[in-house]
Amino acid sequence: MQPLTSTPETITLAVKQLTAKIYGGDFVFPENFNLAQQVSRSLQLDYATVCQAFLAIENITLEKYIENLRTEKTKEWLVYTDDSLQQIAAKLGFHSARQLSAHFKAATGLNTGYFREIRKSRQSIQAMPGKPS
């Protein structure tokens, strides 16, 4: 990636694109993945500069944004896929399903099973006779 024209707007857009790629489900997390290093290397900018620009535009820290993104992706995949908790954890860079569950509970106040139940309810409704698909 070429160095960015370093405006807060362009930095923020690049960060959002990069994080969408990393946490979109297809990224293979290396053994010792470090988001700060990945962001700095990809954007060719100091991580502190990136964080300051992101905060200025989004009014939220980059770390909180990532936490929220991972939480929302977890909800999405629990409700709309058959992926196991371990598979979802791997897609989001967690070391284990247990670590994902703890993060999720702390972020939402709910356990992951609650969202699996939503999936089951959706499937039951879709399977009802006379219900259009």
Side-chain angles (χ1 to χ4, degrees):
M1 181 179 263
Q2 294 294 320
L4 294 173
T5 305
S6 297
T7 66
E9 292 82 7
T10 58
I11 292 169
T12 299
L13 179 60
V15 167
K16 286 184 170 187
Q17 290 171 342
L18 180 61
T19 56
K21 180 180 173 184
I22 292 171
Y23 297 107
D26 295 323
F27 185 80
V28 177
F29 288 88
E31 180 77 26
N32 295 312
F33 178 74
N34 182 301
L35 181 66
Q37 289 175 354
Q38 183 75 33
V39 168
S40 293
R41 186 173 33 252
S42 295
L43 276 54
Q44 298 182 0
L45 292 168
D46 179 68
Y47 188 68
T49 301
V50 172
C51 289
Q52 289 171 344
F54 193 88
L55 180 60
I57 297 301
E58 293 297 319
N59 203 28
I60 186 174
T61 65
L62 180 53
E63 288 77 15
K64 187 67 176 170
Y65 175 81
I66 301 286
E67 178 183 320
N68 292 346
L69 178 62
R70 291 168 96 189
T71 300
E72 291 306 312
K73 282 293 188 182
T74 301
K75 289 178 189 177
E76 177 185 333
W77 290 331
L78 286 169
V79 173
Y80 295 107
T81 73
D82 288 324
D83 292 350
S84 70
L85 206 52
Q86 184 60 45
Q87 290 170 312
I88 294 170
K91 287 181 179 184
L92 293 172
F94 290 100
H95 296 292
S96 66
R98 181 177 292 173
Q99 184 188 28
L100 168 60
S101 294
H103 162 84
F104 192 80
K105 177 79 171 180
T108 66
L110 300 168
N111 64 39
T112 56
Y114 177 82
F115 286 86
R116 278 293 185 213
E117 289 302 318
I118 293 172
R119 177 172 177 70
K120 289 177 187 173
S121 295
R122 286 183 74 252
Q123 289 173 327
S124 295
I125 291 169
Q126 290 174 341
M128 293 174 78
K131 174 74 179 158
S133 299

